[in-house]
Structures are given as structure tokens and as C-alpha cells.
């Protein structure tokens, strides 16, 4: 998918300040969240609030069951505006195709050598100029060219946007922006900073990964994109990529989930043992988080890791789920707005 990037210069904008265990409770939520694990690392800390709490303003939001969280008072307006944009209005899995689609990632050991990463044009909002990026790290196809590398032991995640391997004896890379995340910490990036994603969020924690689907559970929110977004963000996002002040457009970080009534009525359409069933369940329990601007018409696009083991015929069941089946989850944080809005 071709993804639009940052549209406004940082100098022109002023930013306003603004889980789940495997045992399901009788009310339907996951009680004490065990975060997803990958390569021996917890993928951000567990959420420890009440089952009915608003969406967290920290990285623990990724692992927060929001199936009983309150609905945002402007939910209907957001949904009307997105529908009015036209384009795709059904859930669209933006991964599959025998591994051609989706975002790849690499896992490296603690002894992986740090190499130089030349960063421009977003060097002032980037975390690293050296990182343990191997020369054969997979690069996402398309214009965004994301590179995601998780290091065992340190549990640090290194993500790059617009990445290109430069080679040479130093095995250097170039990137448009870089972001480093400590997966043991719920700490956010600095306010106003982008990441390898327009919203300033980590990418890997929001990807649907084949390994978790194969085990029958996706216990985290899913990364999503919309064609047009607002010049605002809601934590845990820290950056926006729009100059549009329309209050009906979704700000970065806005979280949606399936309505409980729709989930219960339609769960039978996603057979047990299918790849689509745990993803459909995650859309209800954990929802989706707006993380980037999509291409033309790219509303309700959800992102997964690339894998040759995805079955497109199975994933396509998700394309029957309309955007109208979602509600917007209330956040514990208020939107941070562009000074122009």
C-alpha cells in the first residue's frame, strides 16, 4: 500500500499539551493482561487499570482490553465523516499475498554490530544514528520502506522509515526517520515527535503476526490507516500528519473497536481454527489504533506482518466487516491540536 507521509513542517505547528490474561472474566473482558511476547520480550507492559477504563495514554494501551471501555461522545461524528470520504468502507487486511503484502521485521541477537544510519529529513525527531541493523534486514515494499529490528536480550525495538541499505565496508543505512523503543517501558516519545510511523507510534506492536494467530489469540490493538486524518493526535500517539482541522476526521492515535452486538451476532461467520477468527475477536477486545495516513480510499486498512503462511481466502472473511460496525473508544487523554486549529 502506498502511504502518504507527513504534510506539515514542525516549525509551523505548535502542539497543545494535552490486559490481559488468558482467563476471560464473566463480563467478557480479559482480567489481568499478560502482554504479548516476541523473541523472549514482552511487547510493551500490561495494562493494570479497570476493565471499563478509557483507553490508556501510555504504551500499555496496545495491550488494553477495551471491549467494555466507554464510547467517545463524538463516535458517531467520526464514523459519519469517514463514511463521507468515500473509498473503502470495509475492514481491509493489508497483508497476505504469499508474503508480498504486510510489513516484515527481523530479530537479532545481543551481539549484532551497531552500524551507522544516516538520517534525513527528520533527524531532529529521530532517536538513533547507529543501531544493530543487519545488512540483510528486510525492507517493506512500497514507498514507506519500513525496517523493523527487535534485539533479543535488550528488548529494544529499532524502526526506520524510508530505509535504504547503503552497503560498503561499514554496512551503513539511510533512513528518513528513526525511532527506538524500550519494550519494557510504557514511556511515550517526546510530544510532537514522529517515529517510523506518522503518529509517533511503534509499528511492530500493532502488527498482526502469524505466530500469534496460529496460537489462536491476538492480544493487542492493531495498527490501522485512514485516507484523511485530523491535525491532532491522542496519546499514546505523539505526532500528527495533516493540516486539516475538520473535527470529524480521526486524529492520530484514535482508537476504534467493534460493537459488542455486532461481534456476538457475527462470530459464527469466522470458523474456529481459521486465521480470521482471532483477528475478528481482537477487533472487538482490543480494537484498532489510527497510526498513519493511507493512500487514496484506504480507510479501515489493518496491518499485519508479512508471511508466506497467510491464507488470503481466509483473511478475506474480514472484508465483510463494515466500518459502521465500529465505535470510537473514549481516551483518557484529550487530543493535542495544531495551533492552526
Amino acid at each position: 500500500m502506498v502511504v502518504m507521509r507527513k504534510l506539515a513542517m514542525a516549525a509551523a505547528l505548535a502542539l497543545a499539551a494535552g490486559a490481559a490474561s488468558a482467563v476471560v472474566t464473566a463480563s467478557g473482558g480479559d482480567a489481568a493482561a499478560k502482554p504479548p511476547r516476541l523473541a523472549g520480550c514482552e511487547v510493551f507492559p500490561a495494562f493494570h487499570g479497570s476493565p471499563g477504563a478509557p483507553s490508556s495514554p501510555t504504551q500499555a494501551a496496545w495491550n488494553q482490553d477495551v471491549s467494555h471501555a466507554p464510547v467517545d461522545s463524538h463516535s458517531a461524528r467520526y464514523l459519519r465523516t469517514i463514511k463521507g470520504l468515500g473509498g473503502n468502507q470495509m475492514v481491509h487486511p493489508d497483508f497476505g499475498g504469499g508474503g508480498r503484502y504486510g510489513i516484515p521485521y527481523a530479530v537479532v541477537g545481543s551481539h549484532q554490530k551497531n552500524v551507522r544510519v544516516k538520517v534525513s529529513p527528520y533527524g531532529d525527531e529521530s532517536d538513533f544514528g547507529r543501531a544493530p541493523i543487519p545488512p540483510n534486514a528486510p525492507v517493506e515494499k512500497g514507498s514507506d520502506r519500513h525496517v523493523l529490528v527487535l534485539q533479543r536480550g535488550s528488548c529494544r525495538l529499532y524502526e526506520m522509515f524510508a530505509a535504504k541499505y547503503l552497503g560498503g565496508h561499514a554496512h551503513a543505512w539511510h533512513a528518513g526517520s528513526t525511532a527506538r523503543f524500550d519494550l519494557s517501558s510504557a514511556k511515550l516519545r517526546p510530544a510532537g515527535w514522529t517515529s517510523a510511523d506518522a503518529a509517533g507510534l511503534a509499528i511492530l506492536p500493532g502488527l498482526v503476526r502469524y505466530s500469534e494467530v496460529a496460537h489462536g489469540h491476538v492480544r493487542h490493538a492493531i495498527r490501522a490507516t485512514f485516507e484523511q486524518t485530523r491535525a491532532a493526535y491522542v496519546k499514546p500517539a505523539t505526532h500528527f500528519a495533516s493540516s486539516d482541522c475538520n473535527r470529524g476526521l480521526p486524529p492520530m492515535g484514535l482508537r476504534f473497536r467493534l460493537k459488542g452486538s455486532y461481534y456476538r451476532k457475527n462470530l459464527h461467520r469466522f470458523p474456529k481454527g481459521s486465521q480470521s477468527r482471532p483477528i475478528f475477536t481482537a477487533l472487538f477486545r482490543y480494537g484498532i489504533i489510527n497510526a498513519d495516513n493511507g493512500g487514496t480510499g484506504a480507510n479501515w486498512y489493518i496491518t499485519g506482518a508479512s508471511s508466506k503462511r497467510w491464507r488470503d481466502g481466509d483473511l478475506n472473511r474480514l472484508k465483510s466487516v463494515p466500518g459502521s460496525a465500529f465505535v470510537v473508544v473514549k481516551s483518557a487523554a484529550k487530543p493535542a491540536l495544531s495551533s492552526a486549529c
Side-chain angles (χ1 to χ4, degrees):
M1 180 187 70
V2 177
V3 182
M4 297 171 60
R5 286 300 290 180
K6 307 152 180 79
L7 303 177
M9 297 300 295
L13 302 174
L15 303 174
S21 74
V23 180
V24 178
T25 66
S27 64
D30 287 340
K34 284 186 177 179
R37 297 188 69 86
L38 184 61
C41 301
E42 288 187 345
V43 185
F44 284 137
F47 174 76
H48 294 293
S50 66
S55 184
S56 171
T58 74
Q59 301 288 14
W62 287 106
N63 304 322
Q64 180 183 355
D65 184 328
V66 292
S67 57
H68 294 278
V71 175
D72 189 290
S73 60
H74 302 297
S75 177
R77 180 171 64 184
Y78 285 124
L79 295 173
R80 284 195 305 270
T81 303
I82 294 169
K83 183 176 181 180
L85 297 175
N88 182 69
Q89 292 296 323
M90 313 294 281
V91 169
H92 182 94
D94 199 19
F95 52 100
R100 295 190 305 276
Y101 310 116
I103 301 179
Y105 65 91
V107 177
V108 299
S110 58
H111 299 295
Q112 180 68 42
K113 180 182 177 181
N114 284 337
V115 298
R116 184 182 178 189
V117 180
K118 301 177 182 179
V119 186
S120 66
Y122 300 104
D124 58 340
E125 296 177 21
S126 291
D127 290 320
F128 60 85
R130 297 186 67 84
I133 312 297
N136 61 347
V139 181
E140 178 195 14
K141 296 178 175 66
S143 62
D144 277 15
R145 297 182 58 82
H146 290 118
V147 168
L148 317 180
V149 175
L150 172 60
Q151 188 171 45
R152 295 180 185 273
S154 70
C155 291
R156 287 178 179 166
L157 173 63
Y158 300 85
E159 299 190 338
M160 302 191 296
F161 161 69
K164 182 179 180 181
Y165 179 57
L166 300 178
H169 70 277
H171 300 296
W173 287 77
H174 180 274
S177 62
T178 67
R180 179 179 58 238
F181 298 89
D182 178 354
L183 293 183
S184 67
S185 171
K187 184 179 178 181
L188 304 183
R189 293 177 64 68
W193 277 33
T194 187
S195 61
D197 231 350
L201 297 166
I203 297 173
L204 182 60
L207 298 184
V208 179
R209 300 180 289 276
Y210 174 80
S211 58
E212 58 189 356
V213 168
H215 284 90
H217 300 284
V218 177
R219 293 194 177 97
H220 60 81
I222 299 172
R223 177 186 186 268
T225 67
F226 291 86
E227 177 185 355
Q228 295 182 40
T229 59
R230 185 183 178 191
Y233 64 80
V234 181
K235 293 178 181 179
T238 57
H239 184 266
F240 55 80
S242 172
S243 58
D244 197 323
C245 298
N246 184 345
R247 292 187 178 185
L249 290 173
M252 293 298 179
L254 195 68
R255 189 169 190 164
F256 303 76
R257 66 160 170 82
L258 284 178
K259 299 174 184 175
S261 57
Y262 183 91
Y263 171 72
R264 290 185 289 271
K265 183 177 180 180
N266 291 278
L267 181 60
H268 71 279
R269 297 195 292 109
F270 300 86
K272 292 182 179 179
S274 68
Q275 293 182 347
S276 56
R277 186 181 179 100
I279 302 172
F280 181 71
T281 297
L283 293 177
F284 166 60
R285 294 212 184 284
Y286 297 95
I288 62 177
I289 296 179
N290 181 26
D292 204 352
N293 295 317
T296 302
N299 301 305
W300 305 106
Y301 273 45
I302 61 174
T303 319
S306 57
S307 172
K308 293 181 179 179
R309 293 173 289 183
W310 291 123
R311 299 193 300 268
D312 289 354
D314 188 343
L315 295 177
N316 284 343
R317 289 187 175 97
L318 296 165
K319 294 182 179 180
S320 67
V321 180
S324 60
F326 287 81
V327 291
V328 175
V329 177
K330 183 178 180 180
S331 174
K334 295 187 180 298
L337 311 177
S338 163
S339 60
C341 300

